[in-house]
Amino acid sequence: VVLDVGTYTLRAGFSGDAQPLHREELYGVFGGRRSADHRRAVGQRHGLLLPPATTTASVAPEENDSQWQQQQEVEVERALLEHVRQVYRGHLLVDAKTKKVAVVVDSRTLPMLVRRALVRVLLGNLRVPQVSFYPRPVVALMTCGRSTGLVVDCGFRVTTVTPVYDSRPLMPYTVVTPLAGHAVHQCVRRLLVQFGRLRRDTASTEEKGDDDVDAMLTDSVVAHVVAGLLYAAPTSVRRATADDGHSLANADLFGDEMAEWYARNTSPPPTTELELALADAAGRRRVLAVPSWVLGRATEILLAGDKPSDHMGVVDALVACIAGVPVDTRRALVGGLLVTGGVSQVPNFASRVLEDLALALEGSSRWSALARDVALADCLPAANGAVFNPADRPWIGASVAVAARIGGVDIRRDEFDEIPLAALLARLD
């Protein structure tokens, strides 16, 4: 059994398969089955959860409250047990005691609290014979038939850039930025509230104010826009404005000045209408008019970074990672760029990362020699299309590794019964 425990999704299936058998949302707010009280009880400190809609002082204790931390660990273990047990009984249909488990982990982003809870659930509660841990960047790169490259994992909570050389993750040179899928959801909501307009779904054309737009935009609506309508525009804003002779290098990516430039230079129709339903008892409907540039430019916050919050984007994180690795590995690493994670499913996102990285390297006298060597690790002829879903690559790589009998970091059931858990988890570092 192969499990991929991410910050938003749990993927499960059997080794040797080409895709996961089951995907399940972990503690999600967007259409999740968990109640708000359950999510509030588990909290958000371990990075697996979204913040609840309303937060009170009673559920936000001090950082040094050890009793509260212990309670959180118990709640996380209980929630993971419920998820994993349901996966075994309802989807995999196998006895947990008869099959070993391979778990894909990212030791830099998966908190120790979650790792302890996961090991206790698998070895203590479900009594699986053995748990094998595989590093996420290495197994993701295996799906491209490569052992060296830069792996960009755009998850829901954080984005990590990990260099992998000869199947060895160079963890000291890993760069982490908090801009990820959650930032895209927040950005889409802000753009729709700021630039979207509502009108009645009748002959009346009366427009509603921003407050009504904000009330209409439930989390499920924003998630639908992100999952089905977003795409990465083919040209970066900085490059396009420089070619036009505009001086927008320091302008706010989502301010009025940039919005005016978008309206003048966007080739599709300036407005795209999205029909949304009000969640009220009367069942009334409204039409949300959204500027077309919002759908193509919402991912710019990941690529260019969030300057007001001083959070680097994906391109800046890649440049920082390249600057940190040993000199003799840089050319080989930039030649195998792999973008994975949930955000990587946005159309044209990987190509934009490649283009913006090459542009950033070319514009620097220090890195200009590397610009022509930048290439995607999964680059295939256009006729072949995409072989694997980019978000499933870590799971698929672990499936291939287990089927090929490539070992990971193993923890057996008898070791769990005799050795302290802290000593066992130290093997992962």
Side-chain angles (χ1 to χ4, degrees), residues 62-80:
E62 297 294 334
E63 291 292 330
N64 57 1
D65 190 347
S66 58
Q67 183 178 0
W68 181 80
Q69 293 178 4
Q70 293 175 0
Q71 181 183 358
Q72 297 307 291
E73 188 162 351
V74 171
E75 292 292 340
V76 170
E77 183 176 346
R78 184 183 306 168
L80 279 176

Side-chain angles (χ1 to χ4, degrees), residues 84-378:
V84 177
R85 181 178 289 166
Q86 177 61 28
V87 167
Y88 269 96
R89 294 181 177 179
H91 303 280
L92 302 183
L93 305 178
V94 295
D95 185 4
K97 298 179 181 180
T98 61
K99 287 186 177 293
K100 299 178 182 180
V101 177
V103 180
V104 181
V105 296
D106 190 339
S107 59
R108 296 299 296 266
T109 59
L110 191 65
M112 182 61 69
L113 180 150
V114 180
R115 285 190 250 176
R116 288 196 300 263
L118 186 60
V119 171
R120 281 197 292 264
V121 165
L122 293 173
L123 294 174
N125 296 94
L126 300 181
R127 304 298 291 174
V128 300
Q130 177 178 300
V131 177
S132 301
F133 292 93
Y134 291 85
R136 181 184 299 270
V138 176
V139 294
L141 205 56
M142 286 178 57
T143 61
C144 305
R146 301 178 65 100
S147 60
T148 300
L150 286 173
V151 180
V152 181
D153 190 352
C154 296
F156 190 73
R157 277 294 179 183
V158 296
T159 296
T160 60
V161 179
T162 306
V164 178
Y165 192 82
D166 197 18
S167 297
R168 291 173 175 83
L170 307 180
M171 302 309 294
Y173 307 108
T174 298
V175 179
V176 181
T177 174
L179 297 181
H182 191 202
V184 174
H185 282 81
Q186 291 179 324
C187 180
V188 169
R189 169 179 287 278
R190 185 178 64 175
L191 290 174
L192 293 181
V193 170
Q194 184 175 357
F195 299 104
R197 291 295 181 268
L198 285 175
R199 66 173 175 81
R200 298 180 183 276
D201 194 13
T202 60
S204 174
T205 59
E206 179 184 357
E207 293 185 351
K208 298 295 181 181
D210 289 348
D211 292 339
D212 291 329
V213 176
D214 194 17
M216 280 275 295
L217 289 177
T218 62
D219 290 331
S220 59
V221 171
V222 177
H224 171 72
V225 173
V226 171
L229 300 175
L230 285 194
Y231 65 95
T235 306
S236 66
V237 178
R238 307 306 186 194
R239 182 171 187 174
T241 53
D243 294 342
D244 291 347
H246 292 77
S247 58
L248 296 180
N250 298 319
D252 183 3
L253 282 174
F254 309 108
D256 294 335
E257 184 181 6
M258 192 68 74
E260 294 177 0
W261 181 88
Y262 286 138
R264 295 194 307 266
N265 294 274
T266 303
S267 56
T271 299
T272 301
E273 292 189 348
L274 306 177
E275 184 176 340
L276 307 175
L278 275 172
D280 60 359
R284 294 173 296 177
R285 303 179 70 86
R286 296 291 186 269
V287 172
L288 178 63
V290 181
S292 56
W293 63 264
V294 169
L295 304 179
R297 295 299 182 180
T299 56
E300 293 290 338
I301 191 171
L302 296 186
L303 297 165
D306 188 1
K307 298 299 187 296
S309 300
D310 198 21
H311 292 155
M312 68 173 65
V314 173
V315 177
D316 292 336
L318 280 165
V319 174
C321 181
I322 294 171
V325 298
V327 177
D328 57 341
T329 65
R330 290 171 181 167
R331 195 171 301 275
L333 290 174
V334 299
L337 180 64
L338 176 63
V339 182
T340 184
V343 182
S344 63
Q345 299 179 94
V346 175
N348 201 49
F349 182 75
S351 298
R352 271 296 307 278
V353 172
L354 177 69
E355 177 190 348
D356 288 9
L357 176 60
L359 183 64
L361 295 178
E362 185 178 357
S364 172
S365 58
R366 181 182 181 185
W367 309 116
S368 57
L370 294 175
R372 60 177 178 270
D373 296 316
V374 177
L376 292 176
D378 58 341

